[in-house]
Amino acid sequence: MAIHHLVASLLLFFSCCHAVAAGAGVRGRLPPTLATWRQYAAAAAPPPQVVQYETRYFTQRLDHFNELPASNGTFRQRYLVNGTFWGGAAAPVFVYAGNEGDVALFASNTGFMWEAAPRFRAMLVFVEHRYYGESLPFGGTRAAAFADASAAGYLTTAQALADFAELILSLKSNLTACKAPVVIFGGSYGGMLAAWMRMKYPHIVMGAVASSAPILGLNSESKHCYDVLRNSWSEMYKALATDAGRARLNQTFNMCKGNVDDIPGLVEKALIYGSMMDYPTPSNFLTSLPAYPVREICRAIDKPTSGNDTVSRIKDAMTIYYNSTGGLACFPGAGAEDDDPYGMFPGWTWQACTEVIMTMSYGIGNATVFPPDPFNLTAYLAGCLATTGVPPRPHWIQSYFGGYDIRNVLKRSGSNIIFFNGLRDPWSAGGILKSISNSIIALVEPKGGHHVDLRFSTKEDPEWLKKVRRQEMRIIADWLKQYYSDEAIDSMMN
């Protein structure tokens, strides 16, 4: 009989813990970034045919908040545009707030925007976040952009939001479309940016769709699965302690280059990101996964093909996440050449150590499938200081965006924001799960995964997912109707 202890354990894990390999000098782990989703995966599928865009570059100011000589520097910020369905000067512009990675990756995986554009006669714009992809200051190379703290210091959320504002205003001016309403979209960190953009720049964006935005799982399938996973850590560490055990691990997992020390980390990442991407249909977002990968992981544990011992069951489970297509001849380890194919780690390490310090994502309690790992904020901040060379500001995000009481802040001063969260996504613990007003709406789906609402629709989509997307479409339509009424513009919705 299916129960909820395994998913609940992962939710607890994320509510006070986290997940990814740390940068040099940082004690513990950094918050999850999309880079680790791709770290051990086979090549992702090509984008759908509908994803067609023109690549453009905007001359962006290096520092929006100072008048020092160095602040006047510029860099080329990449953005992608599709105007196929655009209805003209008063028609909507849908903007994606770029995450911690190559913007083309998000353009290819944000199907909701592509499918909404024809209905709303909207232009699509995907803006790349500074210091990621090709949008690199100081000459356009990663090495120069992260050469030292003086160079990397311009990587902040406030600067990124100001980038979006400047680019949007310039784009509308060039299009002679100053009255065009702008709706901003984003998922995960991009969802946080979308919500913050609406809060900080309401005169520029009139609405935001913030999916799986943590601005503040596995026992659902099988108790036996939960127990095997919970007990597997002692089995793995026991095996790693002897030559015979290491040889057995290498043979069972078929590790490339025999790097068996990476196996516990591989298991941890597969469980965390498999839970985040527990989508109801097969997906190819950075790695190929079957529908409901958590269910398939537990099925592999409950009905193993490699052997009935714990290590063999775990190996079969890991195959679901890392090699579901059978394309990998062996499991690569942490030293694989494609550890960071999208150039995400330098920027996210900096952000996670300087200001995007999500303490809810650190430390592992006793009620999860993972080994307990208490979190020490003081030690973490000291490690960050050693890594970046600048003192971390662990409370700056809350101070700048009102995060200490974000619900009250939104109630008093916010409007036109959709917060979607799927409760099978561990990050939902940090999301807005209850509507705050008639225009700040929380859409919560117990069966949903990490920003599943923004993915391309498929004929296999369950009814609950179709309903969520219909709700989002209707809310956006209401925003636009009200905007055109307020601006005395003939509605573009007819």
Side-chain angles (χ1 to χ4, degrees):
M1 179 177 65
I3 55 180
H4 299 284
H5 188 54
L6 198 51
V7 164
S9 73
L10 279 175
L11 289 175
L12 284 170
F13 170 69
F14 263 83
S15 68
C16 59
C17 87
H18 144 88
V20 193
V26 180
R27 182 193 179 279
R29 306 168 174 89
L30 296 180
T33 178
L34 296 175
T36 52
W37 294 6
R38 174 65 178 82
Q39 190 166 5
Y40 303 104
Q49 286 188 337
V50 69
V51 179
Q52 302 288 332
Y53 49 75
E54 176 188 353
T55 300
R56 299 181 185 176
Y57 296 88
F58 178 69
T59 301
Q60 189 63 263
R61 183 181 171 93
L62 181 63
D63 184 355
H64 298 281
F65 305 108
N66 288 288
E67 295 303 329
L68 297 171
S71 300
N72 295 312
T74 62
F75 67 97
R76 296 207 316 163
Q77 184 170 25
R78 181 169 57 151
Y79 64 108
L80 315 177
V81 179
N82 182 295
T84 302
F85 308 105
W86 194 45
V93 178
F94 288 174
V95 175
Y96 187 88
N99 297 46
E100 70 282 24
D102 190 308
V103 70
L105 183 66
F106 305 110
S108 298
N109 285 280
T110 311
F112 181 83
M113 291 178 64
W114 293 96
E115 293 170 358
R119 170 179 172 177
F120 293 106
R121 302 173 66 190
M123 174 178 289
L124 298 180
V125 182
F126 297 83
V127 186
E128 192 161 69
H129 195 298
R130 60 166 55 202
Y131 284 81
Y132 293 100
E134 295 181 13
S135 301
L136 300 170
F138 300 105
T141 68
R142 210 164 308 283
F146 294 97
D148 53 32
S150 295
Y154 297 98
L155 173 53
T156 69
T157 52
Q159 296 282 7
L161 294 180
D163 288 344
F164 296 161
E166 289 290 334
L167 192 151
I168 291 169
L169 291 176
S170 176
L171 176 68
K172 290 177 63 175
S173 176
N174 291 336
L175 292 170
T176 316
C178 294
K179 291 289 186 179
V182 176
V183 179
I184 193 162
F185 299 74
S188 194
Y189 171 53
M192 297 163 69
L193 293 171
W196 290 335
M197 189 71 186
R198 171 60 184 162
M199 293 167 65
K200 287 295 186 181
Y201 296 93
H203 57 294
I204 294 178
V205 297
M206 52 79 65
V209 179
S211 180
S212 298
I215 62 171
L216 305 180
L218 281 169
N219 194 1
S220 60
E221 306 299 338
S222 160
K223 177 63 164 59
H224 175 256
C225 173
Y226 171 83
D227 289 340
V228 169
L229 287 168
R230 187 171 174 83
N231 295 326
S232 67
W233 307 99
S234 60
E235 292 281 337
M236 287 186 286
Y237 288 123
K238 181 180 178 180
L240 286 170
T242 68
D243 290 341
R246 295 172 70 86
R248 177 186 165 215
L249 286 174
N250 189 47
Q251 181 179 15
T252 302
F253 278 83
N254 188 25
M255 296 295 293
C256 302
K257 301 180 181 179
N259 42 6
V260 294
D261 291 306
D262 296 329
I263 290 175
L266 287 169
V267 175
E268 181 180 293
K269 287 169 183 154
L271 296 178
I272 293 165
Y273 293 104
S275 181
M276 287 173 65
M277 295 187 288
D278 197 27
Y279 299 143
T281 58
S283 62
N284 286 289
F285 185 30
L286 307 178
T287 186
S288 295
L289 288 175
Y292 292 114
V294 168
R295 178 188 64 193
E296 297 306 314
I297 285 173
C298 280
R299 284 180 176 175
I301 287 174
D302 292 340
K303 297 180 180 180
T305 59
S306 299
N308 291 324
D309 62 292
T310 298
V311 171
S312 296
R313 291 176 188 270
I314 296 300
K315 178 264 180 182
D316 287 347
M318 295 306 95
T319 298
I320 300 298
Y321 182 81
Y322 292 110
N323 198 20
S324 64
T325 63
L328 295 179
C330 58
F331 282 114
E337 293 181 359
D338 66 345
D339 273 3
D340 188 15
Y342 298 109
M344 301 177 183
F345 281 156
W348 193 242
T349 297
W350 175 270
Q351 289 189 269
C353 264
T354 54
E355 61 170 9
V356 190
I357 301 173
M358 294 180 282
T359 55
M360 50 88 57
S361 69
Y362 297 98
I364 307 174
N366 293 319
T368 80
V369 295
F370 303 93
D373 183 14
F375 176 60
N376 184 319
L377 177 60
T378 301
Y380 179 81
L381 296 180
C384 280
L385 175 59
T387 298
T388 65
V390 299
R393 296 192 292 173
H395 308 297
W396 172 243
I397 290 293
Q398 291 91 334
S399 299
Y400 191 67
F401 295 109
Y404 290 112
D405 189 5
I406 191 66
R407 291 170 179 81
N408 194 40
V409 170
L410 288 168
K411 182 178 181 179
R412 291 178 180 274
S413 62
S415 64
N416 290 8
I417 305 176
I418 299 171
F419 289 102
F420 169 81
N421 281 282
L423 298 186
R424 293 182 73 90
D425 171 19
W427 278 106
S428 64
I432 301 294
L433 302 181
K434 185 178 180 180
S435 293
I436 294 171
S437 68
N438 291 333
S439 66
I440 301 180
I441 301 170
L443 300 179
V444 180
E445 174 47 56
K447 298 179 181 179
H450 200 57
H451 53 67
V452 64
D453 57 320
L454 295 185
R455 295 184 53 75
F456 278 97
S457 62
T458 73
K459 61 182 180 181
E460 294 87 12
D461 285 343
E463 184 57 35
W464 62 260
L465 181 53
K466 296 177 183 178
K467 181 180 178 181
V468 165
R469 290 173 175 149
R470 288 196 298 267
Q471 288 177 295
E472 292 177 341
M473 288 277 199
R474 186 184 70 249
I475 293 168
I476 294 170
D478 289 344
W479 290 346
L480 292 171
K481 182 179 180 180
Q482 185 64 51
Y483 173 85
Y484 289 126
S485 175
D486 292 344
E487 296 294 325
I489 299 172
D490 290 339
S491 175
M492 300 296 298
M493 306 306 298
N494 296 329

PDB file of all heavy atoms in Angstrom, residues 207-221:
ATOM      1  N   GLY A 207       2.520  41.858 -14.185  1.00  0.00           N
ATOM      2  CA  GLY A 207       2.152  40.589 -13.581  1.00  0.00           C
ATOM      3  C   GLY A 207       3.318  39.627 -13.621  1.00  0.00           C
ATOM      4  O   GLY A 207       4.244  39.784 -14.431  1.00  0.00           O
ATOM      5  N   ALA A 208       3.295  38.632 -12.723  1.00  0.00           N
ATOM      6  CA  ALA A 208       4.385  37.657 -12.656  1.00  0.00           C
ATOM      7  C   ALA A 208       3.834  36.264 -12.394  1.00  0.00           C
ATOM      8  O   ALA A 208       2.928  36.086 -11.573  1.00  0.00           O
ATOM      9  CB  ALA A 208       5.371  38.039 -11.544  1.00  0.00           C
ATOM     10  N   VAL A 209       4.382  35.299 -13.113  1.00  0.00           N
ATOM     11  CA  VAL A 209       4.087  33.886 -12.872  1.00  0.00           C
ATOM     12  C   VAL A 209       5.345  33.278 -12.271  1.00  0.00           C
ATOM     13  O   VAL A 209       6.354  33.091 -12.964  1.00  0.00           O
ATOM     14  CB  VAL A 209       3.695  33.156 -14.166  1.00  0.00           C
ATOM     15  CG1 VAL A 209       3.422  31.674 -13.886  1.00  0.00           C
ATOM     16  CG2 VAL A 209       2.469  33.814 -14.795  1.00  0.00           C
ATOM     17  N   ALA A 210       5.299  33.013 -10.973  1.00  0.00           N
ATOM     18  CA  ALA A 210       6.463  32.537 -10.230  1.00  0.00           C
ATOM     19  C   ALA A 210       6.243  31.068  -9.869  1.00  0.00           C
ATOM     20  O   ALA A 210       5.514  30.755  -8.928  1.00  0.00           O
ATOM     21  CB  ALA A 210       6.678  33.373  -8.979  1.00  0.00           C
ATOM     22  N   SER A 211       6.871  30.190 -10.615  1.00  0.00           N
ATOM     23  CA  SER A 211       6.669  28.752 -10.423  1.00  0.00           C
ATOM     24  C   SER A 211       7.765  28.163  -9.554  1.00  0.00           C
ATOM     25  O   SER A 211       8.949  28.395  -9.804  1.00  0.00           O
ATOM     26  CB  SER A 211       6.641  28.044 -11.778  1.00  0.00           C
ATOM     27  OG  SER A 211       6.438  26.655 -11.617  1.00  0.00           O
ATOM     28  N   SER A 212       7.370  27.412  -8.527  1.00  0.00           N
ATOM     29  CA  SER A 212       8.323  26.743  -7.623  1.00  0.00           C
ATOM     30  C   SER A 212       9.377  27.727  -7.132  1.00  0.00           C
ATOM     31  O   SER A 212      10.580  27.451  -7.188  1.00  0.00           O
ATOM     32  CB  SER A 212       8.978  25.548  -8.320  1.00  0.00           C
ATOM     33  OG  SER A 212       8.009  24.594  -8.671  1.00  0.00           O
ATOM     34  N   ALA A 213       8.922  28.863  -6.654  1.00  0.00           N
ATOM     35  CA  ALA A 213       9.828  29.916  -6.200  1.00  0.00           C
ATOM     36  C   ALA A 213       9.924  29.889  -4.683  1.00  0.00           C
ATOM     37  O   ALA A 213       9.007  30.344  -3.999  1.00  0.00           O
ATOM     38  CB  ALA A 213       9.318  31.284  -6.669  1.00  0.00           C
ATOM     39  N   PRO A 214      11.030  29.374  -4.112  1.00  0.00           N
ATOM     40  CA  PRO A 214      11.153  29.285  -2.654  1.00  0.00           C
ATOM     41  C   PRO A 214      11.562  30.602  -2.027  1.00  0.00           C
ATOM     42  O   PRO A 214      12.633  30.706  -1.421  1.00  0.00           O
ATOM     43  CB  PRO A 214      12.227  28.214  -2.462  1.00  0.00           C
ATOM     44  CG  PRO A 214      13.100  28.361  -3.668  1.00  0.00           C
ATOM     45  CD  PRO A 214      12.176  28.751  -4.796  1.00  0.00           C
ATOM     46  N   ILE A 215      10.697  31.635  -2.167  1.00  0.00           N
ATOM     47  CA  ILE A 215      11.030  32.914  -1.556  1.00  0.00           C
ATOM     48  C   ILE A 215      10.905  32.775  -0.048  1.00  0.00           C
ATOM     49  O   ILE A 215      11.299  33.697   0.665  1.00  0.00           O
ATOM     50  CB  ILE A 215      10.188  34.069  -2.131  1.00  0.00           C
ATOM     51  CG1 ILE A 215       8.711  33.895  -1.872  1.00  0.00           C
ATOM     52  CG2 ILE A 215      10.416  34.229  -3.605  1.00  0.00           C
ATOM     53  CD1 ILE A 215       7.895  35.100  -2.229  1.00  0.00           C
ATOM     54  N   LEU A 216      10.521  32.214   0.647  1.00  0.00           N
ATOM     55  CA  LEU A 216      10.638  31.904   2.059  1.00  0.00           C
ATOM     56  C   LEU A 216      11.803  30.971   2.312  1.00  0.00           C
ATOM     57  O   LEU A 216      11.960  30.105   2.101  1.00  0.00           O
ATOM     58  CB  LEU A 216       9.354  31.226   2.582  1.00  0.00           C
ATOM     59  CG  LEU A 216       8.082  31.957   2.366  1.00  0.00           C
ATOM     60  CD1 LEU A 216       6.934  31.167   2.943  1.00  0.00           C
ATOM     61  CD2 LEU A 216       8.147  33.244   3.041  1.00  0.00           C
ATOM     62  N   GLY A 217       8.711  14.219  -2.826  1.00  0.00           N
ATOM     63  CA  GLY A 217       9.198  13.407  -1.966  1.00  0.00           C
ATOM     64  C   GLY A 217       9.119  11.929  -2.056  1.00  0.00           C
ATOM     65  O   GLY A 217       8.495  11.517  -2.837  1.00  0.00           O
ATOM     66  N   LEU A 218       9.872  10.453  -0.775  1.00  0.00           N
ATOM     67  CA  LEU A 218       9.935   9.162  -1.497  1.00  0.00           C
ATOM     68  C   LEU A 218       9.046   8.054  -0.894  1.00  0.00           C
ATOM     69  O   LEU A 218       8.700   7.130  -1.599  1.00  0.00           O
ATOM     70  CB  LEU A 218      11.362   8.634  -1.572  1.00  0.00           C
ATOM     71  CG  LEU A 218      12.259   9.256  -2.628  1.00  0.00           C
ATOM     72  CD1 LEU A 218      13.694   8.869  -2.437  1.00  0.00           C
ATOM     73  CD2 LEU A 218      11.783   8.961  -3.985  1.00  0.00           C
ATOM     74  N   ASN A 219       8.682   8.092   0.367  1.00  0.00           N
ATOM     75  CA  ASN A 219       7.874   7.001   0.972  1.00  0.00           C
ATOM     76  C   ASN A 219       6.439   6.986   0.483  1.00  0.00           C
ATOM     77  O   ASN A 219       5.621   6.236   0.984  1.00  0.00           O
ATOM     78  CB  ASN A 219       7.899   7.152   2.486  1.00  0.00           C
ATOM     79  CG  ASN A 219       7.411   5.931   3.219  1.00  0.00           C
ATOM     80  OD1 ASN A 219       7.053   4.923   2.641  1.00  0.00           O
ATOM     81  ND2 ASN A 219       7.404   6.048   4.513  1.00  0.00           N
ATOM     82  N   SER A 220       6.100   7.846  -0.506  1.00  0.00           N
ATOM     83  CA  SER A 220       4.763   7.805  -1.075  1.00  0.00           C
ATOM     84  C   SER A 220       4.552   6.547  -1.882  1.00  0.00           C
ATOM     85  O   SER A 220       3.435   6.228  -2.256  1.00  0.00           O
ATOM     86  CB  SER A 220       4.553   9.019  -1.979  1.00  0.00           C
ATOM     87  OG  SER A 220       5.480   9.020  -3.020  1.00  0.00           O
ATOM     88  N   GLU A 221       5.613   5.842  -2.187  1.00  0.00           N
ATOM     89  CA  GLU A 221       5.511   4.685  -3.065  1.00  0.00           C
ATOM     90  C   GLU A 221       5.614   3.363  -2.319  1.00  0.00           C
ATOM     91  O   GLU A 221       4.880   2.438  -2.631  1.00  0.00           O
ATOM     92  CB  GLU A 221       6.601   4.760  -4.149  1.00  0.00           C
ATOM     93  CG  GLU A 221       6.614   6.053  -4.944  1.00  0.00           C
ATOM     94  CD  GLU A 221       5.325   6.284  -5.701  1.00  0.00           C
ATOM     95  OE1 GLU A 221       4.598   5.299  -5.955  1.00  0.00           O
ATOM     96  OE2 GLU A 221       5.037   7.450  -6.021  1.00  0.00           O
TER      97      GLU A 221
END
